[in-house]
Amino acid sequence: MSTTVNALLREDLRDFGGYRSARSEALSGSVWLNANESAWANPSDPGATLRRYPSPQPQGLRERLAQLYRVAPAQLLIGRGSDEGIDLLVRAFCAPGRGRIVIAPPVFGMYAVCARLHGAEVVEVPLRDSEAGLCADLAAMGDAALESGASLLFLCSPGNPSGELLPLDAIAALARHLRGRCLVVVDEAYGEYADVPSATTLLTDHDNIAVLRTLSKAHALAAARVGCVIGNPALIEALRRCQAPYPVPQPVVEAALAALAPEALALTRNRMQAVREARARLADGLRALPAVRRVYPSAGNFLLVRFVDAQDAFNALLAAGVVVRDMRALPQLGDALRISVGTMEECRRVLAVLATLRVEAAA
């Protein structure tokens, strides 16, 4: 077991075997009577493929994802989107009522939600608003992790909603500082839009880094709920023992494999470039509007925008049938909306609506 996993895994889970389902056994046969499944297919399933439980970790999909992210299959655990990965990490490394995590708000809310549902304390080191954007203070986060005894530190890169891209050398330095003391989790849900190397390239030298990836964004499978945790094999095995038996339904496996076929991946790469170009044009268009105070740089498929009157902007867009994310309830974002980068026509529609806001309202 790795140094970090051995040091940080909940003591009561170190010898925990988890639940071993009927599909966990490597058996072969022609008559399957070991899982109490129906002997008959459902009438809605003429192919009789859904009456059987799926593999806990479908090998074909695991190998395809490992190839996509350039890691070994043993370094990867498939789950129900990134959300399940976050929950599993908190479950495995935060003792109920005593664990701690470190985050940099405003950030993706599921880190804090999972922690609080598990009774873990959330240590906050807020993002700093500067000319460069909303930026995480990694040194301060590392110090907070050591001072509080946190076992998990969550980073989001590209950041949601900040759009910030964290340098890999800074992540590596943080991992070295926390080795054996804290696991650094890098959420790369929007990694494809950044077009830079992944934090998975750091895994060989850092056993206390885990990376979250998903097919929800760039691969357009949000409804399928396919994500994964990537890390040291010992970490993956520990998380697998904490996971429910059948996390990935068979129809979802088939949809994911189709999305990862060579021709589909080529189309996805082309679309990533199109999104980056549309993001730049949308940002330029927004910056030219009197109603806009600031557009933050973004490496994701969205822009964080401050408005003179965010309610006015939100209402105008909604009246035109355009739904954006109201960020005003989050710390530091009392005048901000988050706008996803849509098609070129959708982006033009956003700009056209916001251009109708009265100049007096932006004065």
Side-chain angles (χ1 to χ4, degrees):
M1 185 172 284
S2 79
T3 301
T4 295
V5 173
N6 184 57
L8 298 177
L9 186 66
R10 283 170 46 185
E11 187 174 354
D12 58 321
L13 295 183
R14 291 175 187 173
D15 297 322
F16 177 64
Y19 175 75
R20 293 191 61 81
S21 68
R23 290 291 177 266
S24 299
E25 305 298 332
L27 303 172
S28 61
S30 57
V31 179
W32 290 85
L33 302 177
N34 68 332
N36 299 337
E37 300 154 324
S38 172
W40 298 273
N42 187 284
S44 67
D45 178 30
T49 60
L50 299 182
R51 70 185 181 95
R52 300 293 188 191
Y53 287 109
S55 167
Q57 288 291 298
Q59 188 61 25
L61 179 56
R62 198 180 191 196
E63 291 175 353
R64 193 76 61 85
L65 286 168
Q67 182 181 31
L68 177 68
Y69 299 130
R70 300 181 182 180
V71 298
Q75 294 177 282
L76 185 147
L77 182 77
I78 307 170
R80 293 180 288 270
S82 297
D83 293 344
E84 186 181 21
I86 296 165
D87 183 67
L88 288 172
L89 286 160
V90 173
R91 191 182 306 174
F93 290 93
C94 290
R98 294 189 288 111
R100 294 181 183 85
I101 72 166
V102 176
I103 61 172
V107 72
F108 182 46
M110 283 305 294
Y111 313 140
V113 167
C114 289
R116 286 174 176 145
L117 286 173
H118 200 64
E121 180 184 346
V122 179
V123 179
E124 298 184 349
V125 181
L127 297 178
R128 292 183 173 178
D129 202 349
S130 67
E131 290 186 5
L134 277 169
C135 301
D137 186 336
L138 298 191
M141 292 182 76
D143 290 343
L146 293 177
E147 291 169 7
S148 66
S151 54
L152 295 171
L153 184 154
F154 285 94
L155 302 175
C156 195
S157 182
N160 173 21
S162 70
E164 179 193 20
L165 186 66
L166 297 172
L168 289 185
D169 58 350
I171 296 174
L174 178 62
R176 284 193 297 271
H177 185 52
L178 297 178
R179 179 175 172 81
R181 304 282 299 277
C182 184
L183 190 68
V184 177
V185 183
V186 187
D187 187 345
E188 294 184 338
Y190 300 93
E192 290 88 348
Y193 300 101
D195 195 29
V196 297
S198 166
T200 56
T201 58
L202 305 176
L203 295 178
T204 300
D205 297 323
H206 304 281
D207 74 338
N208 63 328
I209 290 179
V211 180
L212 299 171
R213 299 300 296 251
T214 180
L215 300 187
S216 293
K217 309 297 182 181
H219 298 276
L221 289 183
R225 311 305 301 129
V226 181
C228 59
V229 183
I230 305 170
N232 184 281
L235 168 68
I236 299 306
E237 182 55 34
L239 296 180
R240 187 168 181 174
R241 298 198 304 269
C242 298
Q243 189 176 37
Y246 306 109
V248 192
Q250 189 57 37
V252 169
V253 173
E254 293 166 5
L257 287 172
L260 298 177
E263 59 274 16
L265 289 176
L267 179 60
T268 296
R269 285 191 291 270
N270 291 337
R271 286 177 174 168
M272 293 306 95
Q273 181 58 33
V275 170
R276 288 190 284 269
E277 293 172 0
R279 181 179 66 202
R281 284 193 286 269
L282 179 60
D284 289 342
L286 288 167
R287 291 188 181 103
L289 297 176
V292 172
R293 277 189 174 139
R294 184 175 185 185
V295 180
Y296 285 92
S298 175
N301 67 332
F302 57 85
L303 294 169
L304 181 64
V305 186
R306 292 191 186 275
F307 288 88
V308 172
D309 188 334
Q311 186 66 56
D312 192 25
F314 185 85
N315 290 344
L317 288 167
L318 194 59
V322 179
V323 183
V324 298
R325 189 66 177 265
D326 190 345
M327 308 304 294
R328 289 175 293 166
L330 294 183
Q332 303 187 59
L333 300 183
D335 59 354
L337 305 177
R338 192 191 67 196
I339 304 174
S340 300
V341 178
T343 65
M344 291 303 298
E345 175 54 36
E346 290 169 339
C347 291
R348 282 192 289 267
R349 188 171 174 181
V350 167
L351 294 173
V353 171
L354 295 177
T356 65
L357 298 180
R358 295 192 311 165
V359 175
E360 290 81 5

